[in-house]
Amino acid sequence: MTDFIKILRTSCAGIVCAGIMLAAQPANAAAAAASPWCAAGKPVKFAGLNWESGSFLTELMRSVMELGYGCKTDSMPGNTVAMEAALAGNDIQVLAEEWIGRSDAWNEAFKAGKVIPLGKVIAGAAEGWYVPEYVIKGDPARNIKPMAPALKSVADLPQYKALFKDPEEPSKGRFLNCPIGWTCEGINTQKLKAYGLTDSYVNFRPGTGPALDAAVVSEYRRGKPLLFYYWSPTPLMAKFKFIKLQEPAYNEACFKTLADKNQPKPCGSAAPEAVIRAGVSKAFGDGDPVLRGFLDKFNVPLDLLNRTLADMGDKKLDARQAAQVFLKRHPEILKQWVAADIAARVTAGLR
């Protein structure tokens, strides 16, 4: 067979020859690239994550599966906890951005062997409580003087409640939490208790990720004081300057009390080092070594991801459009995730 292919390569050309060459390839070459899940006609269902990086990474994975492996994919909307439960039940197969260890729903499903973490989707991510840089350092270019030059730690916040005054309850400050239903919303609510801030700060929870971003952007552009939870990767981390407030060092036992919304006396702790992976259902992970291999290699460098998310917002691209632009611009990254022939199919499908 090998000699026959060599002869064909040197003696024929054109469409007819291309057809002969394709037929002459060993059968296991095509089989190696085939996804068992997709070959069986089953769609790959994704969690419809509603924050920028989550939705962008979801569409990157979906695009590669559709164009490279011929899969049918879909996404289901819902909050993080609901999606983790759906993943455990194999109602969905992939959650593109799972912050490992932060959610009781994920932890329980993992202990029960119902979900599998894959790859290092994002490395170097951070999270915490932030204020705009100008709150502490000022901004001469915008004629903003420092408002709280001595503010360094969450322990300092009680004395600054008037600075971060809540417009609806002016006797307290406002802490802008995660959106309702996100895992971080529950953790931050417990942190307010642990840091003794429930009497001095309103726990304000926006309804969606875009609402959180809109609040931060609005206050930042007006040069107003703002105390909020945030994280990377996000477009705002590429566009604006924030300072993270100091928290008690990470303590595993204390963080467990923060993750338990029913714990009446949580103790303070910074978040552990972020471990962000793709979560898949056991049925999917065990049943499709091909797509599992792709997800295990999937990673987007943090700085590039922040810039891409900022560009997505500036150009008003939806996550699907941004994912396809990314794949066109960065074939070198695509080739780190999949074999050359799969990458070529993706690239061809984007034209």
Side-chain angles (χ1 to χ4, degrees):
M1 175 65 78
T2 301
D3 292 340
F4 175 60
I5 292 174
K6 288 180 180 178
I7 293 170
L8 284 172
R9 284 176 177 162
T10 57
S11 63
C12 72
I15 295 174
V16 173
C17 182
I20 296 172
M21 286 292 294
L22 183 62
Q25 296 300 314
N28 61 0
S35 155
W37 189 275
C38 299
K42 295 183 288 188
V44 182
K45 297 178 183 178
F46 283 76
L49 306 180
N50 61 353
W51 60 92
E52 291 97 336
S53 60
S55 60
F56 171 70
L57 296 171
T58 295
E59 293 305 323
L60 266 183
M61 293 176 185
R62 290 182 66 187
S63 295
V64 172
M65 288 186 187
E66 291 172 5
L67 298 175
Y69 296 96
C71 298
K72 294 179 181 178
T73 75
D74 197 1
S75 67
M76 294 174 56
N79 64 46
T80 309
V81 175
M83 289 296 96
E84 288 167 336
L87 190 72
N90 196 38
D91 295 319
I92 62 172
Q93 284 72 54
V94 184
L95 197 156
E97 186 183 321
E98 176 65 43
W99 290 59
I100 300 297
R102 306 301 174 84
S103 162
D104 286 342
W106 169 270
N107 293 341
E108 291 171 8
F110 178 71
K111 288 178 182 177
K114 296 179 179 179
V115 294
I116 301 171
L118 297 177
K120 294 181 179 178
V121 174
I122 306 167
E127 62 177 310
W129 289 19
Y130 289 85
V131 297
E133 184 184 76
Y134 57 74
V135 167
I136 297 174
K137 297 184 177 181
D139 185 351
R142 293 201 288 165
N143 198 30
I144 298 175
K145 295 181 179 180
M147 305 170 192
L151 175 59
K152 295 180 179 180
S153 164
V154 295
D156 301 325
L157 288 174
Q159 62 185 296
Y160 291 104
K161 67 177 184 178
L163 177 64
F164 300 110
K165 183 171 65 176
D166 184 274
E168 298 174 8
E169 198 171 343
S171 65
K172 293 184 177 183
R174 171 176 285 191
F175 169 67
L176 186 58
N177 199 341
C178 285
I180 297 170
W182 289 16
T183 300
C184 50
E185 181 250 328
I187 291 174
N188 285 326
T189 296
Q190 288 290 79
K191 282 189 176 185
L192 286 168
K193 296 179 188 176
Y195 299 149
L197 298 174
T198 53
D199 291 335
S200 52
Y201 280 83
V202 170
N203 184 12
F204 188 86
R205 290 157 284 194
T208 64
L212 171 62
D213 286 356
V216 173
V217 170
S218 175
E219 297 298 279
Y220 191 97
R221 287 178 172 165
R222 294 189 298 146
K224 299 295 183 180
L226 178 68
L227 171 66
F228 61 104
Y229 167 86
Y230 219 65
W231 70 98
S232 64
T234 56
L236 299 193
M237 283 295 189
K239 297 175 71 172
F240 300 140
K241 294 180 179 180
F242 303 135
I243 291 178
K244 185 163 71 168
L245 299 182
Q246 297 172 7
E247 296 183 70
Y250 170 67
N251 179 289
E252 183 178 3
C254 283
F255 197 81
K256 287 181 179 178
T257 70
L258 298 174
D260 179 3
K261 64 181 180 181
N262 297 316
Q263 170 57 247
K265 295 182 179 180
C267 50
S269 168
E273 180 182 358
V275 178
I276 305 174
R277 310 183 75 180
V280 302
S281 68
K282 178 175 174 57
F284 177 76
D286 289 349
D288 198 320
V290 173
L291 295 182
R292 178 171 178 161
F294 155 55
L295 293 175
D296 221 18
K297 295 177 182 177
F298 185 95
N299 168 267
V300 180
L302 182 59
D303 288 345
L304 176 58
L305 181 53
N306 282 333
R307 294 197 304 271
T308 299
L309 296 176
D311 193 50
M312 183 171 79
D314 291 343
K315 295 182 178 179
K316 295 180 170 55
L317 302 175
D318 62 31
R320 186 72 163 189
Q321 292 169 325
Q324 296 188 354
V325 169
F326 182 92
L327 290 169
K328 289 177 183 178
R329 289 180 179 175
H330 299 286
E332 76 286 358
I333 293 180
L334 173 62
K335 291 175 183 176
Q336 294 174 13
W337 305 338
V338 297
D341 59 328
I342 300 299
R345 290 180 198 171
V346 174
T347 300
L350 294 168
R351 294 193 185 113

